[in-house]
Amino acid sequence: MFKSLLKKIVKAQRIHKFQQLNKHPDLNSNCIYAANHSCKWDGQYLMEIIPGEFSFLAGKQRMKFIDKFGLTWNGIIWVDRKDKKSKQASKIKMKKVLARGKSLCIFPEGTWNLEPSTLVLPLYWGVIEIAQQSNVPIVPMCLEYVGDTCYVKYGDVIHIEEKADKKERIQNLRDVLATLKWDIWEMLPICKRCDVEEDYWDKEIQRRLKEYELLDYEYEMSCVRKG
């Protein structure tokens, strides 16, 4: 009941139309959704898109009351991205959520990707460790915004073997997310570089930051994992 009401509230606030490019993968269990992250709308829209019960992993940050309330209502695990004890505690909480049969949604980039030419930022390894230790699959998914449309595409389900190399698997996941974004780009009309304004991306960054003025841009950029 609460989940259904929350979806209606989120849908009422939505400013983009969805275009899902493929179906949600068939699953017989809960999972970890690993999504890219580029703007304020990602969390809200995932509440509407993702089926069933799930919790978010989110970095502690300044946030509007209504947004914090919505995330808490949906299910949230807060983490201080600069504190080792907080990160360890969040892993314990995530494993408990998965053990209860709920799913998780993680932004493994750790913050917004506002780079002009980096498809996906370096990913944090936690998503691989949690999937491995909890024996649940990962469902990669990409959200890309073009004009008034949010394109959504799922990747194939990823199973992390017990003895899998974490460094190799996190790079594989990053490659999958980058490919999903590239697949969306390939659908769009081709434009020449000379037709794009030189300061286009600077303006785009400022537009996205203006959409959520509480975001501490310098702090968020300091949370980008050093590749």
Side-chain angles (χ1 to χ4, degrees):
M1 176 181 176
F2 291 132
K3 183 73 174 180
S4 177
L5 179 58
L6 182 59
K7 285 195 175 208
K8 289 180 180 178
I9 294 172
V10 171
K11 186 175 181 179
Q13 295 179 335
R14 175 154 49 94
I15 67 169
H16 298 87
K17 58 186 178 183
F18 289 141
Q19 184 165 340
Q20 295 202 194
L21 303 180
N22 58 354
K23 293 182 179 180
H24 186 285
D26 290 329
L27 288 172
N28 296 318
S29 67
N30 56 332
C31 66
I32 298 175
Y33 293 94
N36 68 315
H37 198 15
S38 64
C39 69
K40 67 157 286 187
W41 300 108
D42 295 330
Q44 290 179 241
Y45 289 178
L46 287 170
M47 288 185 206
E48 188 177 347
I49 296 169
I50 293 176
E53 297 292 324
F54 74 96
S55 291
F56 276 110
L57 174 69
K60 291 182 178 179
Q61 57 191 287
R62 290 186 301 167
M63 190 174 289
K64 294 178 181 178
F65 172 79
I66 188 64
D67 296 329
K68 183 172 287 189
F69 178 77
L71 286 169
T72 302
W73 197 2
N74 180 83
I76 191 79
I77 297 170
W78 298 106
V79 59
D80 183 339
R81 289 161 286 177
K82 298 292 185 75
D83 185 272
K84 289 184 179 180
K85 288 184 179 179
S86 178
K87 289 193 283 188
Q88 288 300 321
S90 70
K91 288 181 180 179
I92 293 171
K93 292 176 183 177
M94 285 188 281
K95 287 189 282 188
K96 286 182 178 179
V97 166
L98 292 168
R100 293 198 298 267
K102 288 182 65 176
S103 293
L104 276 172
C105 183
I106 297 177
F107 299 115
E109 291 172 289
T111 186
W112 294 11
N113 179 6
L114 296 176
E115 293 295 320
S117 57
T118 302
L119 289 171
V120 178
L121 296 173
L123 305 185
Y124 283 88
W125 298 26
V127 62
I128 301 297
E129 293 177 341
I130 298 302
Q132 198 171 44
Q133 294 168 11
S134 300
N135 192 30
V136 297
I138 295 173
V139 174
M141 59 185 304
C142 179
L143 285 71
E144 183 70 354
Y145 302 85
V146 183
D148 65 349
T149 302
C150 174
Y151 294 89
V152 182
K153 187 168 186 180
Y154 297 99
D156 293 334
V157 177
I158 299 173
H159 296 275
I160 309 297
E161 304 82 3
E162 184 179 355
K163 296 183 179 180
D165 182 274
K166 287 183 285 188
K167 184 176 181 180
E168 178 181 331
R169 297 301 267 160
I170 198 66
Q171 184 58 51
N172 289 347
L173 177 58
R174 187 184 183 192
D175 291 343
V176 169
L177 291 174
T179 299
L180 291 175
K181 182 178 281 192
W182 188 262
D183 287 346
I184 295 172
W185 285 4
E186 283 195 317
M187 294 177 49
L188 304 176
I190 296 175
C191 64
K192 296 180 180 179
R193 184 178 293 272
C194 62
D195 294 331
V196 179
E197 296 179 11
E198 289 187 7
D199 61 347
Y200 163 76
W201 190 247
D202 290 334
K203 289 180 179 178
E204 179 63 17
I205 290 175
Q206 293 306 313
R207 186 189 66 78
R208 296 190 189 194
L209 294 177
K210 191 174 182 179
E211 285 182 331
Y212 209 79
E213 295 178 341
L214 288 179
L215 188 82
D216 186 334
Y217 178 65
E218 290 187 7
Y219 177 80
E220 291 299 320
M221 293 306 97
S222 75
C223 292
V224 174
R225 181 174 174 267
K226 304 300 184 284

